[in-house]
């Protein structure tokens, strides 16, 4: 497939500087899936056109895959797809990254550009193609192809030759193509992971946030992986829409301030670590790990062999990682740690095989109707030997001088329970899923209202 980029910016041969490819030469690059050739059909002062021809080797594509007919007979060698994005990043990487050593002033310069791609598959047809490029200021000219010229009654195919005109910096055009080509194709030839979120945000900088189809673009780019899409969209929210994770962060600080006089958090964590050791739990998963307070303690303690933090909040996990990085731990200690972004009300195969699960100050963040889903995920499917659950004791709230009467400790708390409510829930869960349960008070106890935190320790009945 072929991409040409033409400009009438003067001198037009500046395009060669920006692309880091000399207009007088024809260059070839070997890629893992074929060859890319760069050449200039025309290059003079008034008009310069650069061409990227991608020659995909279909045999290279099938080598590592199961040998089905589909692996051999497909459109991959002939259309612009994620292979094309990889080619753009490898062959025009400097231009895509907005760097130009010889003429740095050109990088930011908007110039009249015409990009032509033959051929581009559009899952979503002409309408979707236009909806992707027109909001970015492109004038879009399309030529659609029939499915088969000899059978016009079969209708049109999803393949287009596309011409895109705009006056923008070249790096921006390349970023648009890099992101939107696989989005149109609605496929990627490689497995997507967290790195793809970072790439999307990097190449989408300055335009994706404002794009009316940012959600669909993000979903398709990340192959509809819910966890990754959510992480990316959280970072693409408008600055004036509060980021749900940062709101949580503020609320965490408020809760810590309420509880501070007791240094309750530390007492709670000490207690959890002691209970884990009493139960010989060396492999521990911290469900709803937040910013990693417990993980930090476990990681520093040689007793623990495998430590995993799980949280739905990508931001919390990022903060955790930064905080733990600062410990400068030796490599073998690091290897014990794993961070997983996941929701606790859905089963997740990665969270299996642990001696104990710690669920510290988390259940009160779950909507009550979702609590039963969480119970099944934890006690029925994950089924660790020991489960430690802590939650605020609402009876104690009257003792917090800074907490207005009748309010909960944290704005995200969906509920806070009395001791009898928590014990009733815990006993019912224990009976339902064959766990014995014992209770502990955490923090200084007061007559009548008990302790600020209540803890249930569940042990599996074999
Ligand atoms: N255990 C930590 C954090 C408690 S705050 C500590 O004691 O410091 C509650 C945490 O639960 C938050 O980080 C929040 O992101 C997480 N959380 C809330 N609902 C969740 C869900 N459905 N799945 C996974 N994590 C969840």
């Amino acid at each position: 497939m072929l991409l040409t980029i033409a400009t009438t910016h003067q001198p037009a041969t500046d395009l060669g500087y920006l692309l880091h490819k000399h207009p007088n030469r024809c260059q070839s690059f070997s890629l893992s899936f074929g060859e890319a050739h760069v050449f200039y059909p025309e290059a003079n002062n008034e008009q310069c056109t650069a061409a990227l021809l991608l020659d995909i080797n279909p045999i290279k594509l099938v080598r590592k895959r199961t040998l089905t007919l589909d692996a051999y007979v497909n459109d991959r060698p002939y259309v612009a797809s994620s292979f094309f994005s990889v080619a753009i990043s490898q062959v025009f990487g400097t231009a895509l990254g907005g760097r130009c050593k010889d003429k740095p002033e050109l990088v930011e310069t908007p110039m009249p550009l015409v990009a032509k791609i033959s051929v581009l598959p559009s899952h979503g047809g002409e309408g979707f193609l236009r909806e992707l490029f027109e909001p970015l200021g492109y004038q879009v000219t399309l030529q659609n192809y029939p499915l088969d010229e000899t059978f016009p009654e079969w209708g049109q195919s999803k393949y287009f030759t596309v011409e895109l005109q705009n006056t923008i910096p070249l790096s921006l055009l390349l970023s648009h193509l890099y992101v939107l080509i696989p989005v149109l194709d609605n496929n990627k030839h490689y497995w997507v992971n967290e790195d793809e979120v970072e790439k999307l945000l990097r190449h989408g900088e300055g335009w994706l946030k404002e794009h009316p189809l940012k959600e669909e673009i993000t979903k398709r780019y990340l192959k509809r992986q819910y966890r990754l899409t959510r992480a990316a969209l959280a970072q693409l929210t408008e600055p004036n829409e509060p980021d749900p994770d940062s709101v949580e962060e503020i609320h965490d600080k408020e809760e810590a301030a309420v509880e501070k006089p007791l240094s309750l958090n530390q007492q709670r964590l000490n207690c959890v670590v002691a209970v884990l050791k009493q139960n010989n739990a060396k492999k521990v998963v911290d469900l709803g790990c937040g910013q990693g307070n417990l993980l930090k303690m476990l990681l520093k303690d040689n007793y623990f062999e495998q430590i995993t933090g799980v949280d739905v909040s990508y931001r919390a996990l990022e903060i955790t990682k930064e905080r733990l990085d600062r410990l400068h731990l030796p490599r073998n200690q690091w290897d014990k740690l794993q961070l997983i972004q996941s929701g606790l009300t859905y089963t997740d195969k990665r969270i299996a095989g642990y001696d104990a699960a710690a669920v510290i100050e988390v259940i009160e963040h779950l909507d009550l109707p979702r609590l039963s889903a969480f119970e099944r995920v934890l006690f029925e499917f994950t089924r660790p030997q020991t489960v430690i659950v802590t939650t605020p004791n609402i009876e104690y709230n009257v003792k917090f001088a800074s907490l207005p009467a009748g309010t909960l400790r944290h704005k995200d708390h969906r509920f806070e329970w009395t001791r009898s409510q928590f014990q009733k829930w815990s006993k019912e869960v224990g009976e339902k899923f064959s766990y014995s349960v014992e209770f502990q008070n955490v923090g200084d106890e007061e007559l009548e209202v008990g302790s600020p935190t209540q803890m249930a320790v569940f042990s599996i009945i074999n």
Side-chain angles (χ1 to χ4, degrees):
M1 80 227 59
L2 181 70
L3 163 72
T4 59
I5 300 174
T7 187
T8 49
H9 162 87
Q10 308 237 322
T13 43
D14 272 353
L15 191 61
Y17 285 101
L18 276 171
L19 290 172
H20 269 243
K21 302 285 173 284
H22 199 287
N24 291 346
R25 286 170 56 196
C26 174
Q27 288 175 269
S28 297
F29 303 86
S30 181
L31 307 172
S32 62
F33 45 83
E35 295 258 301
H37 309 279
V38 178
F39 55 95
Y40 290 78
E42 59 181 342
N44 55 55
N45 219 30
E46 285 72 43
Q47 175 92 21
C48 184
T49 304
L52 169 64
L53 177 70
L54 187 56
D55 186 11
I56 289 185
N57 178 342
I59 302 301
K60 282 192 176 177
L61 298 190
V62 276
R63 245 175 225 166
K64 290 187 194 133
R65 292 184 14 193
T66 41
L67 301 181
T68 58
L69 184 62
D70 174 54
Y72 285 102
V73 184
N74 57 48
D75 65 2
R76 298 297 85 187
Y78 315 109
V79 301
S81 65
S82 53
F83 291 110
F84 207 80
S85 296
V86 173
I88 289 178
S89 73
Q90 296 197 354
V91 177
F92 294 145
T94 318
L96 176 66
R99 295 181 304 278
C100 182
K101 201 162 51 101
D102 294 328
K103 296 200 172 189
E105 71 285 359
L106 288 179
V107 167
E108 302 280 321
T109 308
M111 44 183 74
L113 296 168
V114 181
K116 197 166 173 179
I117 307 162
S118 314
V119 289
L120 193 55
S122 173
H123 281 261
E126 173 174 346
F128 186 58
L129 230 166
R130 289 190 182 281
E131 281 172 52
L132 284 186
F133 286 100
E134 285 176 351
L136 298 168
Y138 288 93
Q139 198 182 318
V140 180
T141 314
L142 300 173
Q143 186 187 349
N144 190 200
Y145 296 97
L147 208 50
D148 189 320
E149 278 167 5
T150 39
F151 300 100
E153 66 275 17
W154 288 0
Q156 294 299 99
S157 70
K158 63 181 178 195
Y159 301 107
F160 293 83
T161 293
V162 179
E163 195 179 272
L164 302 164
Q165 271 187 58
N166 206 349
T167 301
I168 48 173
L170 178 70
S171 63
L172 193 54
L173 169 81
L174 292 175
S175 299
H176 293 154
L177 297 179
Y178 179 90
V179 172
L180 297 179
I181 286 175
V183 164
L184 275 162
D185 186 31
N186 203 16
N187 197 0
K188 275 199 174 173
H189 66 277
Y190 52 88
W191 180 244
V192 305
N193 57 19
E194 275 77 8
D195 295 348
E196 291 301 296
V197 174
E198 186 276 324
K199 275 190 220 160
L200 175 67
L201 296 174
R202 181 153 44 91
H203 295 299
E205 204 182 325
W207 61 272
L208 185 53
K209 231 178 203 176
E210 282 76 39
H211 199 292
L213 292 188
K214 77 175 170 201
E215 289 202 7
E216 184 63 18
I217 294 171
T218 305
K219 273 190 211 155
R220 286 185 177 216
Y221 188 88
L222 298 169
K223 273 190 154 176
R224 299 195 181 270
Q225 286 204 39
Y226 175 75
R227 191 171 55 85
L228 300 178
T229 305
R230 198 181 170 283
L233 284 173
Q235 301 200 40
L236 287 170
T237 20
E238 294 292 324
N240 50 1
E241 283 169 27
D243 171 349
D245 285 335
S246 64
V247 170
E248 173 87 2
E249 233 173 281
I250 295 164
H251 293 170
D252 279 346
K253 285 192 187 130
E254 288 172 5
E255 184 181 24
V258 170
E259 292 183 341
K260 194 164 183 196
L262 301 167
S263 172
L264 180 58
N265 194 30
Q266 199 52 49
Q267 291 184 52
R268 196 156 47 213
L269 295 179
N270 292 342
C271 206
V272 173
V273 172
V275 173
L276 287 171
K277 288 186 176 174
Q278 282 158 20
N279 286 281
N280 303 318
K282 290 177 181 282
K283 296 180 184 177
V284 180
V285 60
D286 183 8
L287 301 176
C289 62
Q291 300 182 7
N293 293 328
L294 176 63
L295 296 176
K296 192 168 158 185
M297 281 180 75
L298 300 180
L299 205 52
K300 287 201 284 191
D301 190 329
N302 280 331
Y303 180 84
F304 298 99
E305 292 169 1
Q306 193 186 338
I307 303 152
T308 297
V310 180
D311 206 289
V312 75
S313 159
Y314 185 75
R315 192 188 183 100
L317 293 175
E318 269 186 339
I319 295 173
T320 300
K321 190 163 174 304
E322 272 165 32
R323 290 179 68 198
L324 299 178
D325 267 343
R326 274 185 243 130
L327 297 176
H328 298 296
L329 294 171
R331 179 75 202 264
N332 61 335
Q333 239 148 313
W334 261 119
D335 291 344
K336 297 195 278 189
L337 179 77
Q338 201 192 353
L339 296 176
I340 296 176
Q341 190 191 20
S342 189
L344 301 179
T345 50
Y346 300 92
T347 49
D348 189 329
K349 287 197 197 107
R350 295 171 297 175
I351 306 165
Y354 290 90
D355 300 327
V359 193
I360 310 308
E361 306 293 286
V362 174
I363 57 168
E364 63 276 8
H365 291 261
L366 304 178
D367 286 324
L368 269 173
R370 300 293 294 148
L371 201 55
S372 58
F374 164 70
E375 290 162 19
R376 292 197 64 195
V377 168
L378 178 56
F379 293 96
E380 187 177 328
F381 299 109
T382 314
R383 234 174 146 64
Q385 201 72 25
T386 305
V387 175
I388 305 174
V389 178
T390 75
T391 193
N393 164 19
I394 195 172
E395 295 166 80
Y396 192 94
N397 287 2
V398 289
K399 298 284 173 190
F400 291 119
S402 58
L403 191 67
T407 43
L408 303 181
R409 289 182 212 179
H410 187 295
K411 292 200 178 66
D412 188 50
H413 286 181
R414 309 300 154 91
F415 59 88
E416 283 174 4
W417 277 337
T418 61
R419 283 167 292 175
S420 67
Q421 283 173 316
F422 179 55
Q423 292 183 12
K424 179 169 176 285
W425 173 79
S426 305
K427 284 177 189 158
E428 280 171 7
V429 164
E431 269 168 37
K432 197 160 162 193
F433 300 102
S434 293
Y435 277 80
S436 63
V437 54
E438 284 176 18
F439 299 96
Q440 280 193 32
N441 296 318
V442 182
D444 303 332
E445 279 189 67
E446 298 271 345
L447 213 63
E448 293 189 357
V449 294
S451 63
T453 295
Q454 37 189 350
M455 174 189 275
V457 182
F458 298 85
S459 307
I460 208 162
I461 302 170
N462 287 312

